[in-house]
Amino acid sequence: MMTPALQTSPGARETGLTLRVGPAGRLAAELDKERGRVLLAVRYGGPASGLRDADHPFVDVPNSVLDGAPQLEIWGTPAPAARFRRGELAWAEDGRVLFGCRSRRVGDDIEADAFETYRELLALLDERGYPGLQRVWNYVPQINETQRGVERYKRFNVGRARGFEERFGETAEQHFSAASAVGTVGEALIVCFAAGREPGTHVENPRQVSAHRYPPEYGPKSPSFARGTFAPASWGRALFLSGTGSVVGHETVHRGDPLGQLEESLTNVDALLEGAVGRSGRRRHDVVRFGLLKTYVRSPEHFPAIRDALARRLDPSTSAIYLKADLCRADLLVELEGVSL
Ligand code: 3EB
């Protein structure tokens, strides 16, 4: 199957942010050609080698690609991008946007690891003058395991919330952006992020309780994210969709039923996009025409049916990546996320 090379929205032409997705082998050559214009490269399905030493931020997310060979996701810019590395943190800036990634082997306290990660990330955005967080991708090792008597995802949430609170105090909620938090293999907590000079517009889902208002049964600190973020006009109003699962209100529905969960997730995405109307009054974003739709599947045996149900609907212009991942609730079997350019 041909993979679309490039997605550019009308507005994005002003900034020319590009997203390319395809087999890692084939796209690696492009990476070389685009030296100096790459903001972030993420390889899925390769070895757990963390941050690679490259001319741009380049990280390995070792989750298996369910339908084959490793995939590469490349965020590019027409403007020259300066590249930086500070320990386990790598980032690139072009004067308008900052993309980066932190990958660090976790210790025996995931709360402390999450806190440090968010402290470092938020301090970096402040220092470099890109305070408008737009999107965070969190990959958490052994996300459903118990540590110190509490599920690691819940402990991660405590550390992440402390990071936001330390930086923003009482206004922390206003800074929560689109995000996803899924499991990964290997031992590194991997956190990739995109930020701008200006804030994005963070949106909630009318079918779902805001994650930062979840009741205490989901952990001592609610998850710090918004259901979606519209990037500023200077990014062409790209829409970052957060990880979206079969959660209605605050409860998981269709337990044990992967296709039921997929349909509910799509309904949730639709409900979020319903609010996403352009000036003309027409819907600007549709999940079947996303630039990139990433689907996380907990159990590989559910993958063929999930792929068939999705592939039927997706526009050929949409790049789809299917990854094996544990999800942040033990009863979630499938989760969607993506970006509409
Ligand atoms: C949910 O709706 C499913 O912790 O950053 C989705 C998106 C989920 C982001 C996060 C978690 C996160 O609660 C899980």
Side-chain angles (χ1 to χ4, degrees):
M1 195 168 57
M2 283 294 293
T3 307
L6 179 142
Q7 303 289 327
T8 314
S9 74
R13 271 175 214 127
E14 297 154 27
T15 49
L17 274 192
T18 57
L19 171 59
R20 284 161 214 259
V21 178
R26 185 163 68 75
L27 278 200
E30 303 232 355
L31 258 183
D32 228 35
K33 268 195 315 223
E34 292 182 16
R35 199 180 289 269
R37 302 232 179 315
V38 175
L39 293 164
L40 175 66
V42 184
R43 184 172 65 177
Y44 302 99
S49 45
L51 274 176
R52 291 146 53 85
D53 223 1
D55 296 336
H56 43 260
F58 189 175
V59 71
D60 267 302
V61 170
N63 298 47
S64 320
V65 174
L66 286 162
D67 49 354
Q71 294 275 313
L72 203 51
E73 169 185 332
I74 307 172
W75 289 89
T77 165
R83 184 263 186 189
F84 304 85
R85 171 113 188 217
R86 190 184 286 167
E88 301 304 312
L89 185 64
W91 76 96
E93 326 169 353
D94 74 352
R96 295 159 308 168
V97 304
L98 183 156
F99 276 66
C101 193
R102 186 185 189 275
S103 172
R104 177 131 94 197
R105 202 188 158 97
V106 291
D108 62 358
D109 184 351
I110 189 75
E111 178 188 327
D113 288 320
F115 174 60
E116 250 177 58
T117 299
Y118 275 82
R119 167 143 76 179
E120 216 176 274
L121 154 58
L122 296 172
L124 177 79
L125 300 186
D126 196 30
E127 173 197 323
R128 305 303 304 174
Y130 296 82
L133 190 59
Q134 311 290 327
R135 191 27 163 130
V136 189
W137 294 268
N138 301 282
Y139 293 92
V140 182
Q142 298 171 292
I143 191 166
N144 299 130
E145 299 297 307
T146 296
Q147 188 183 62
R148 304 186 188 195
V150 181
E151 191 186 38
R152 286 164 65 102
Y153 172 65
K154 293 178 178 165
R155 303 196 74 242
F156 167 86
N157 277 329
V158 176
R160 173 170 59 174
R162 279 175 50 213
F164 274 103
E165 279 162 17
E166 183 192 66
R167 168 75 183 79
F168 298 113
E170 308 227 306
T171 66
E173 268 179 35
Q174 297 167 25
H175 300 272
F176 296 164
S177 73
S180 47
V182 302
T184 188
V185 291
E187 283 162 55
L189 171 63
I190 303 167
V191 177
C192 298
F193 47 90
R197 296 283 194 199
E198 315 135 68
T201 304
H202 311 303
V203 295
E204 291 302 314
N205 193 316
R207 300 185 83 231
Q208 300 183 300
V209 173
S210 294
H212 49 89
R213 302 270 157 78
Y214 278 168
E217 64 199 84
Y218 299 101
K221 274 283 181 189
S222 303
S224 314
F225 72 96
R227 298 293 178 183
T229 296
F230 286 90
S234 58
W235 295 37
R237 294 196 174 77
L239 169 64
F240 290 106
L241 172 72
S242 291
T244 305
S246 183
V247 173
V248 179
H250 58 76
E251 280 175 88
T252 305
V253 295
H254 310 290
R255 289 208 174 83
D257 171 11
L259 287 179
Q261 291 202 5
L262 174 67
E263 293 306 322
E264 200 69 54
S265 304
L266 285 166
T267 305
N268 281 338
V269 175
D270 269 345
L272 184 101
L273 298 178
E274 208 57 58
V277 235
R279 252 181 230 131
S280 66
R282 290 214 349 254
R283 247 170 83 159
R284 299 189 62 248
H285 299 281
D286 188 330
V287 66
V288 303
R289 276 187 289 280
F290 270 19
L292 171 59
L293 182 69
K294 256 153 80 188
T295 305
Y296 300 105
V297 179
R298 182 183 288 275
S299 306
E301 69 265 27
H302 297 155
F303 163 63
I306 287 171
R307 182 210 32 218
D308 290 350
L310 272 176
R312 266 203 302 279
R313 296 171 156 99
L314 293 187
D315 188 87
S317 66
T318 297
S319 297
I321 295 183
Y322 296 91
L323 296 178
K324 172 169 157 44
D326 288 338
L327 302 168
C328 67
R329 293 181 181 188
D331 52 14
L332 283 179
L333 302 173
V334 58
E335 190 174 301
L336 304 171
E337 60 123 308
V339 54
S340 179
L341 290 172

